[in-house]
Amino acid sequence: QVAAAAAAFPPSESLYLIASKSGSTAEVLANLDYFWQRSGGDGTRFVAVTDPGSPLETLARERGFRRVFLADPNVGGRYSALTAFGLLPAALMGVDVEALLARADWMRRQCLPAVPAPRNPGLVLGAVLGEAARAGRDKVTFFADPPFESLSAWLEQLIAESSGKQGVGLVPVAGEPLRAADAYGDDRLFVYFRVDGTHDDGLRALRAAGHPVLTFDLAAPADLAVEFYRWEFATAAACAALGVNAFDQPNVQDAKARAKAQIAAYRANGRLDAPAPRWQADGVRAWATQDLNAETPTAALSAFLAQARAGRDYIALNAFLPRNAETAAALTDLQAQLGARTGCAVTLGFGPRFLHSTGQLHKGGPDSALFLVLTADPAQDFDIPGQGLTFGALLLGQALGDLAALQAQGRRALWLHLDDWRRLAEMFA
């Protein structure tokens, strides 16, 4: 994945945005070190977005970055779409930022304290989300028409990291293929971002079957900012209904610390501190946080999935694999297959995001998930300049740190490591 980005964005033609609130995010700094070396240390090719006083600010000024943009330290990362973290890339893409902010400000005015509660769109949505979760409909399942499909991925981080604490939380489900109405349990709340009615028939069938569906019409690209503000406000309100603090992330640091310990072990010993596989066959090694009474990786997988309780549990596909069109398509197919096989909601994401965002829900939210942690030998690997490890070692170390954090919380997890990620299709056949 790094190699593909390097080929697509050579230093002579690229401006690199290095974005990190803390200024110490491992994968951000690894990529900075790599592309900095490729550029020959040309600071004019780099721009930093970070909080004041962070290590990244210091480094950027020392290296003569083209510009350093300082974000408001009082705004958390998942609430920062309408700050420099979101607005700078938008401006560079040619987006009318003033129009974007004007639409966001329109929604802000609708959510002011003086607006009666029943007419406050952020408060009403938050109340619906919170009360739905309290009633058991905690799987918030998103569908969106083009070109807004990626909005669901942003909402996934916002909702999961904000609400997943103290054994409660909303489980956002983004990108899951639409099923027949009778294939869903009563643990779902559906959300549809509608532009041209692509999903009208499917959502109409869901309503007819008695499932709750919220529809939001987007008439223009700038309406994206309306939804940014509405959902940030609503998420905070939903967390209040659930009795948790929307603005902290108490379980996130644990996974990061365990990943750092893995990297330290690699630097000291030349290898990661991985658990010995419980099952091994045909290029697949497997390990689980529980005894599955199985003799092969495939049997362990079947026993693991047999625990899934339709209408209550969800399956999390945590893929520490290259994020490209080929793997995304294969994993989306697997997401649909697992949903049909178990009747459960299936989430899908690429690591190392689980150390930062959805990982808060995974460790601090309800104990209703079965985690499939997927890793594979890299097709190619190379050093991170000056760090004493490779990109492949960093990614696997992060996966192992996240797995250890899941185990520490008593979560049900199965780790599959493949010599070639394409073997996944064989295992699930």
Side-chain angles (χ1 to χ4, degrees), residues 5-259:
F9 301 98
S12 61
E13 301 174 17
S14 304
L15 179 69
Y16 303 105
L17 305 187
I18 314 301
S20 169
K21 279 187 66 65
S22 68
S24 59
T25 308
E27 57 270 20
V28 173
L29 296 181
N31 281 285
L32 168 58
D33 288 345
Y34 178 72
F35 285 96
W36 180 259
Q37 183 184 70
R38 287 182 64 87
S39 76
D42 183 0
T44 66
R45 294 288 174 179
F46 293 82
V47 170
V49 187
T50 188
D51 280 0
S54 77
L56 178 57
E57 182 195 1
T58 302
L59 181 66
R61 297 197 189 283
E62 289 175 351
R63 291 186 174 182
F65 277 23
R66 188 183 195 95
R67 183 72 183 271
V68 177
F69 289 87
L70 298 180
D72 185 342
N74 295 311
V75 180
R78 58 189 176 277
Y79 291 89
S80 62
L82 295 170
T83 73
F85 283 100
L87 295 178
L88 175 60
L92 290 171
M93 292 167 63
V95 172
D96 185 343
V97 173
E98 292 294 336
L100 206 64
L101 290 173
R103 293 296 290 143
D105 192 57
W106 174 83
M107 177 53 73
R108 180 190 66 85
R109 294 195 301 273
Q110 313 311 306
C111 298
L112 289 173
V115 177
R119 291 174 47 203
N120 181 321
L123 187 60
V124 169
L125 175 57
V128 170
L129 293 170
E131 293 306 315
R134 287 159 60 94
R137 289 190 178 272
D138 62 343
K139 315 300 190 303
V140 186
T141 305
F142 294 100
F143 297 98
D145 291 345
F148 293 100
E149 298 98 329
S150 58
L151 176 57
S152 301
W154 175 79
L155 284 163
E156 190 176 20
Q157 174 178 355
L158 172 68
I159 294 170
E161 193 171 9
S162 298
S163 71
K165 297 153 198 175
Q166 301 175 29
V168 300
L170 293 155
V171 180
V173 183
E176 188 182 54
L178 183 63
R179 309 176 195 171
D182 60 2
Y184 293 105
D186 59 2
D187 59 342
R188 302 278 192 148
L189 172 66
F190 294 95
V191 176
Y192 178 27
F193 296 103
R194 186 181 187 277
V195 178
D196 59 6
T198 298
H199 297 290
D200 276 353
D201 291 343
L203 275 297
R204 190 178 298 114
L206 292 177
R207 287 194 189 93
H211 293 290
V213 180
L214 306 178
T215 299
F216 300 89
D217 289 303
L218 290 84
D223 286 343
L224 188 64
V226 171
E227 300 308 325
F228 282 157
Y229 195 93
R230 186 207 309 266
W231 282 86
E232 288 179 3
F233 191 107
T235 297
C239 288
L242 294 173
V244 297
N245 181 357
F247 305 106
D248 69 357
Q249 45 280 332
N251 297 100
V252 165
Q253 189 55 42
D254 182 38
K256 292 183 180 180
R258 293 175 187 274

